[in-house]
Amino acid sequence: MFKKVDSNPNFPKLENNLLAKWKKNNTIKKYTKKNSKSKETFSFIDGPITANNPMGVHHAWGRTYKDLFQRFYTMLGREQRYQNGFDCQGLWVEVEVEKSLGFKSKKDIQEFGVEKFVNLCKERVNKYSAIQRDQSIRLGYWMNWDDSYYTMSDENNYSIWGFLKKMNENGKIYRGTDVVPWSGRSGTSYSQMEIIEGRKLVAHRSVFIKFKLKNKINEYVLVWTTTPWTLTSNVSLLVNKNLNYAKCKLKNGDVFYVAEPNLKHQRLEKEFKEKKEWIEGVPKLKSLDQLFNERGGYSVEKIIKGTEMIGWEYSGPFDELDAAKIAGGYPFTNNDLEDQKINAIKCHRILDGGKDQEGNDIVNSGEGTGIVHTAPGCGDIDFKIGKQNNLVALAPLDEEANFIENFNWLKGKNATDSKTIDLILEDLKDKELLFYTEMYPHIYPHCWRSGDELVFRLVDEWYINMDWREDIKKSVDQTNWIPAWGKQREHQWLNNMGDWMISKKRFWGLALPIWEFEDGSFYIVGSKEELKQLACEGWEEFDGNSPHRPWVDKVKIKHPKSGLIGQRVLDVGNPWLDAGIVGFSTLNYNNDKDYWKKWFPADLISESFPGQFRNWFYSYLTMGTALAQETPTKNIFSYALVRDESGEEMHKSQGNAIWFDDAAEDIGVDVIRWLYARQNPENNLRFGPEITNEIRRQVIIPLWNIYSFFTNYAILDKFTPPKNFSEPKSKNLMDQWILTEVKETTDDVKNHLTLYQPDKATLAIENFINLLSNWYIRRNRRRFWKSGDFESNQIDDDKFSAYETLYFVLVTLSKIMSPMIPFITEEIYTNLTKDTKWGKESVHLEDFPFFKTKSLDESELQIATRAAMKISSLGRSARSKTKIKVRQPINNLHFKTKETITSKYIEMILTQVSDEVNVKKVKHVNKSYQLSNIIIKPNNSILGPRIGSKIGKLNNEIQSLNHNELYKELLIHNKIIISDIELTLEDVHIEHTSLDNSEFIEDNNFKVSIETKLDNNLIEEGISREIIHNIQNLRKNSGFNISDKISMFYYGDEKIEKVIKKYQTHISEEILATKIMKCESNRGSNIKFKINNSTISINIDLS
RNA sequence: GGGCCAGUAGCUCAGCCGGUUAGAGCGCAGUCCUGAUAAGACUGAGGUCCCAAGUUCGAGUCUUGGCUGGCCCA
């Protein structure tokens, strides 16, 4: 016997009960072992979730997809690994640990102790991975939770060692000295990926600075920069040799050289006007022309080409600093230049800016002055130019972005501190070199963690040379991308990216397996075994620890060739190496190649697309291609971002972020999962209470209502499930129809999920639930109410079929919905099947249903049923127009359709429509004039040009004729002749209006007309139904049970009495009355209402 | 500045291979139905399918150009 179904359940509570049950029965284990002997596999490789904080609702979106696809393939019988991954290493974990310790900089960590710090990082990861595991289980994410991988594992780290060794064997690893973006707060450089995360629009103080030309009196070049601190390290100036420069003489006698086109250039005019990429409060920028005029006006003395300026010498603004005087540059010394006694001051001359890699001029007209200051120790392009032109480099900052020794009074001051900028500007002002200061809005790189401005530092970092990117692009092409444009996006990244900077001067992360030697060489160790073999010192201290800092730093090795003793570089690795290797590390690549081959490449990987093109998708594809020479995945499924209800980004700081735990217990995860599954993954998803309520109301509650309707009646009627679960054979056309629909929906769901279209699969089910609830159940309710129960065997075939059919539909539906909403489907399935032999312990141990393609007959039945639905809808619409309630029967409904309806189903349509629209007689007609008056009007746009002024006469003539007859004639002969003019169907507009006593309505494929004239019989029947309706409501409001028998007393006039007498039997049946009595007076009635000017009072009692 | 994508009802979005009169949900207003329904049905929205040109018998759909917005990269 089924368990009674609560018609108003608490879904979160229901889910928690099921979680307990699954735990008790060990259901997840049974699920993950279901297909362990299968010949076919489905390999899903999880992109690791950062185990650094509890999950937000956005994590649940991705995890819903991952679970959904894996469940689907489980139902298809594929063996799977169900392995979840946690991302453990990297700066983001360090950041949180630092925060909890109240640390301000890297120094604090060193003082605290690297070992203690790294252990705290590990602890944090262990804590949050456990929390995320529990949250995932709450979501209904069924994985092999004992088998999750952690990117901090030895296996993962050593696998990356192997990868790096291989890259080095191919000559792709190098140490580069370069100017890179640097965070003073974190004390490390940032990779290309990280800079992109941290770009933001800010207003900087930008300055116009006078550079005094040597050998000239009072002549200057004007230079503009947004980073005044770099002026301290100026080495040379750049011009564009093809540009024209104007020699401008100001009132006070000063002469300035600037690019001629820049003089009147309105700087950032568009940005200012449109307020896009502009910061509120920043005033409009001034043109050079304006600045000169404000200083008393100026005259252009002559125009010269940039070429002419090349070689001019100047005095730098900070030549008094000691650093400027050090030969060879500082603190990195260029030995050749040192020998030649060349220092920064000696490099002070104007150079040709030349072109960049893509062939664009480095110095442009427009912004600035057309003369660019270059500091090879403070900018990446500057550094390249410095190399090309044999310039020294001054790199003024230390790890914390403070000025170093030999920058005199600046020493120890922070480069991004606004007080430092103040001092620099003040100094320049004192030197009379500061021409003008302004606020300038632009997009500038910032630290993604602290929001602090980045600086540029000249440092040594380690790189992977990516000159083999074409190989990765081949892998990209071998992969099926969903959405399809992902492929293009990945190509674009691969085309534009630079070499991969893999080092970071931090503590918690992959220890780069690079050992350096005194001769400048380096050696890459590819495994733990190799390390042991080469170790000559510190192995004992290291052995037994994970390959992390500080333990691994203690191992010194002997170079196998040179025999020199070397030490590990202290850097840790880029975290995307950690996640990129998982196609190997988690598949036993190093110790069980057969296993690896079985599961590689993946069938599917999936992550949210913003960012992943340059992060995980990139590193996974790159490492896969390098080690396996093929794409590491057949499909990449990606999706957009979760936003709040109004479409804004969710931020903790803005208070609109929603934590997963809150959402799960307030809303219920099935509702959330359905919302996620039905979303078009390309679009951002809006999440909030309004939206989830809508899903609950639209999908979850209707499903539940169907289930509770079925189950509760089945209990009353003592229905027992069939011995075998197979498609019922019913003679009832409605049953046949809904079976066809459920089979077709099942097929659609399977096809869409196979193509990774969960949204389309989900919407197909929504559509089916709509048909089931609003047509099948509504139309068939009475079949379930019929008397007779199963136990006593007093049951007719039709009732039996209704039960069998709805049972089959519900069980099938619970299966095909189980990948999306694992909780409610489990509840439905187990309640309905628990007493059967064929039922599984859980719906999640079921197979995906498979049905034969639908027959022609079934298609015809579908068309006919949909026609009945449409005609009923139009019929109701017609009723509503004439304000005739559905309770009031009407005599006739006529319809015409363009659909081809098989004759065997016409009768069904007539019955259904008659019932649904409450009409005595429904008729299918072939000719329009049978349901509407035809009005024929000349088509003026065609006839106008043809007959001109005769139109008026024609119009009059047509108006005087019988349009129905005209139309008949037109249909028969394809033409009619009026006033000597031949007209075809195209020459006229045909309109339809209602016939007398009728209401006509049409849509694309159907025309419907109902008779609106009511005779006495109809009116009386209407009254009887009105009475029944009111009594039913009264029963409900009085709290009577459905099966309670009642006595009814009424008081009303003769009309009422007549109707009640006439319909006494019918009324009694409907309201379960054992007697109906008229009272002489209005005795304490329960209800009193008016029908057609007669008042009736009614009183009911249990009898 | 370059690349990609989008622009359809008040809002969020469907609209397959070009095919009559372009749909859904929500919101709003009104009406109705209901002993599975804190549900549902119907009506009102009469949409310049961003604009223009082109291809075609026929364009929301294809092509080109423009406008606007989003994302990515400089």
Side-chain angles (χ1 to χ4, degrees), chain A residues 950 953-958 961 977-982:
Chain A
K950 287 182 197 162
K953 197 184 163 201
L954 178 73
N955 219 340
N956 290 338
E957 185 80 10
I958 289 177
L961 294 166
I977 295 172
I978 300 168
S979 303
D980 296 333
I981 297 161
E982 188 179 297

Side-chain angles (χ1 to χ4, degrees), chain A residues 625-735:
Chain A
T625 306
L627 294 176
Q629 284 80 46
E630 63 170 322
T631 182
T633 185
K634 291 175 192 157
N635 296 286
I636 293 182
F637 177 88
S638 57
Y639 47 92
L641 296 169
V642 175
R643 295 286 176 88
D644 77 2
E645 215 147 39
S646 50
E648 301 295 317
E649 274 182 58
M650 285 191 179
H651 286 298
K652 268 189 258 180
S653 53
Q654 280 172 23
N656 65 347
I658 300 174
W659 290 109
F660 172 76
D661 292 339
D662 298 339
E665 298 314 325
D666 292 348
I667 298 165
V669 293
D670 271 351
V671 172
I672 298 171
R673 289 177 62 122
W674 193 266
L675 168 69
Y676 286 160
R678 81 194 290 279
Q679 172 76 7
N680 177 344
E682 284 187 59
N683 296 341
N684 286 336
L685 182 148
R686 295 181 178 211
F687 189 97
E690 301 263 327
I691 290 161
T692 46
N693 273 338
E694 195 182 317
I695 299 293
R696 189 186 300 106
R697 275 203 344 249
Q698 233 177 286
V699 186
I700 304 298
I701 288 180
L703 172 68
W704 190 263
N705 287 335
I706 295 165
Y707 161 63
S708 92
F709 167 81
F710 172 83
T711 314
N712 291 338
Y713 276 98
I715 293 168
L716 277 181
D717 283 332
K718 305 188 169 61
F719 170 81
T720 48
K723 294 247 171 340
N724 295 303
F725 186 72
S726 60
E727 187 188 339
K729 302 269 177 286
S730 170
K731 285 183 197 136
N732 183 296
L733 288 177
M734 293 288 286
D735 292 347

Side-chain angles (χ1 to χ4, degrees), chain A residues 72 414 505 526 751 763 816 1033:
Chain A
F72 174 62
N414 190 277
K505 297 182 168 32
N751 292 336
L763 294 175
I816 64 173
N1033 281 341

Side-chain angles (χ1 to χ4, degrees), chain A residues 772-906:
Chain A
L772 179 62
S773 171
N774 291 331
W775 195 252
Y776 181 79
I777 303 268
R778 234 167 41 135
R779 299 263 66 256
N780 288 288
R781 266 179 301 192
R782 285 175 179 270
R783 293 169 66 200
F784 292 88
W785 297 342
K786 275 190 211 167
S787 59
D789 64 42
F790 286 84
E791 208 171 54
S792 59
N793 235 355
Q794 291 168 333
I795 199 155
D796 66 32
D797 279 355
D798 193 51
K799 179 166 176 173
F800 184 78
S801 312
Y803 267 108
E804 270 207 311
T805 301
L806 188 51
Y807 181 83
F808 180 83
V809 168
L810 271 170
V811 172
T812 304
L813 194 57
S814 73
K815 292 185 200 171
I816 64 173
M817 290 177 88
S818 68
M820 293 92 174
I821 46 170
F823 292 89
I824 290 171
T825 52
E826 177 78 334
E827 180 68 19
I828 294 175
Y829 176 90
T830 50
N831 191 22
L832 295 184
T833 63
K834 65 179 154 55
D835 297 330
T836 66
K837 286 199 172 134
W838 47 265
K840 304 273 195 297
E841 178 188 323
S842 160
V843 71
H844 306 301
L845 302 175
E846 272 284 2
D847 288 333
F848 203 83
F850 173 79
F851 301 109
K852 274 188 287 189
T853 333
K854 79 178 160 187
S855 63
L856 181 64
D857 208 35
E858 287 174 321
S859 307
E860 286 170 355
L861 177 57
Q862 261 182 326
I863 291 170
T865 307
R866 302 228 165 151
M869 291 168 74
K870 193 76 215 176
I871 294 161
S872 302
S873 159
L874 289 168
R876 277 192 294 261
S877 166
R879 273 178 168 281
S880 145
K881 272 193 181 164
T882 51
K883 305 214 188 296
I884 301 176
K885 293 181 182 182
V886 180
R887 274 198 292 277
Q888 175 60 59
I890 52 173
N891 261 334
N892 285 299
L893 180 151
H894 292 176
F895 73 90
K896 176 177 181 289
T897 177
K898 291 176 194 160
E899 302 271 2
T900 5
I901 298 192
T902 326
S903 53
K904 69 193 264 205
Y905 295 127
I906 288 281

Side-chain angles (χ1 to χ4, degrees), chain A residues 33 63 92 240 320 359 562 573 618 751 802 838 854 879 1089:
Chain A
K33 293 212 169 116
R63 289 168 111 64
W92 41 61
N240 182 331
E320 76 282 5
S562 66
Y618 166 61
N751 292 336
W838 47 265
K854 79 178 160 187
R879 273 178 168 281
F1089 54 93

Side-chain angles (χ1 to χ4, degrees), chain A residues 523-534:
Chain A
Y523 186 85
I524 295 192
V525 177
S527 65
K528 188 180 182 184
E529 292 68 40
E530 191 184 358
L531 181 63
K532 188 175 180 182
Q533 218 177 347
L534 297 176

Side-chain angles (χ1 to χ4, degrees), chain A residues 5-213:
Chain A
V5 177
D6 184 352
S7 62
N8 187 14
N10 175 339
F11 289 114
K13 193 177 155 200
L14 181 135
E15 289 166 1
N16 281 305
N17 291 341
L18 285 168
L19 286 168
K21 184 174 147 191
W22 287 332
K23 193 172 178 187
K24 187 175 140 234
N25 296 343
N26 226 348
T27 318
I28 300 186
K29 267 269 139 50
K30 290 171 187 162
Y31 163 86
T32 55
K33 293 212 169 116
K34 172 177 176 265
N35 303 321
S36 56
K37 300 215 170 99
S38 171
K39 278 180 193 147
E40 285 186 305
T41 60
F42 179 75
S43 178
F44 169 74
I45 303 268
D46 190 24
I49 180 171
T50 309
N52 192 29
N53 276 305
M55 272 164 58
V57 285
H58 58 287
H59 291 107
W61 190 14
R63 289 168 111 64
T64 297
Y65 282 133
K66 291 175 180 183
D67 189 48
L68 195 162
F69 290 128
Q70 289 180 89
R71 283 180 186 275
F72 174 62
Y73 277 101
T74 307
M75 295 186 91
L76 292 185
R78 304 280 198 94
E79 186 188 357
Q80 290 178 74
R81 297 171 59 251
Y82 307 104
Q83 190 183 39
N84 170 80
F86 292 112
D87 205 6
C88 312
Q89 302 178 151
L91 187 54
W92 41 61
V93 180
E94 291 193 44
V95 167
E96 294 296 331
V97 173
E98 268 188 63
K99 244 196 251 168
S100 68
L101 294 169
F103 289 175
K104 292 270 182 309
S105 75
K106 237 168 112 172
K107 267 190 195 148
D108 296 334
I109 299 170
Q110 270 146 339
E111 280 162 19
F112 178 75
V114 174
E115 181 165 350
K116 260 157 77 187
F117 183 78
V118 163
N119 280 330
L120 285 177
C121 288
K122 283 187 182 175
E123 264 174 43
R124 183 177 180 91
V125 167
N126 284 328
K127 177 179 165 188
Y128 283 103
S129 57
I131 289 174
Q132 290 177 343
R133 176 199 61 211
D134 293 345
Q135 291 181 309
S136 300
I137 291 171
R138 177 64 187 86
L139 178 69
Y141 189 20
W142 281 18
M143 296 297 258
N144 222 332
W145 289 109
D146 302 333
D147 185 38
S148 290
Y149 73 79
Y150 294 75
T151 60
M152 63 184 175
S153 70
D154 289 8
E155 179 60 31
N156 214 65
N157 281 301
Y158 288 126
S159 294
I160 302 170
W161 286 26
F163 163 76
L164 291 174
K165 187 175 180 74
K166 172 151 186 180
M167 292 313 291
N168 191 45
E169 282 162 6
N170 297 339
K172 300 301 180 198
I173 304 278
Y174 69 93
R175 174 176 39 203
T177 304
D178 210 344
V179 174
V180 296
W182 184 277
S183 163
R185 170 68 180 76
S186 299
T188 184
S189 55
Y190 279 168
S191 67
Q192 199 180 356
M193 297 98 152
E194 288 167 297
I195 300 158
I196 293 167
E197 311 282 345
R199 299 194 109 108
K200 65 180 183 189
L201 179 67
V202 288
H204 271 142
R205 260 183 300 177
S206 75
V207 292
F208 288 86
I209 301 291
K210 295 151 71 170
F211 278 61
K212 190 169 174 18
L213 289 167

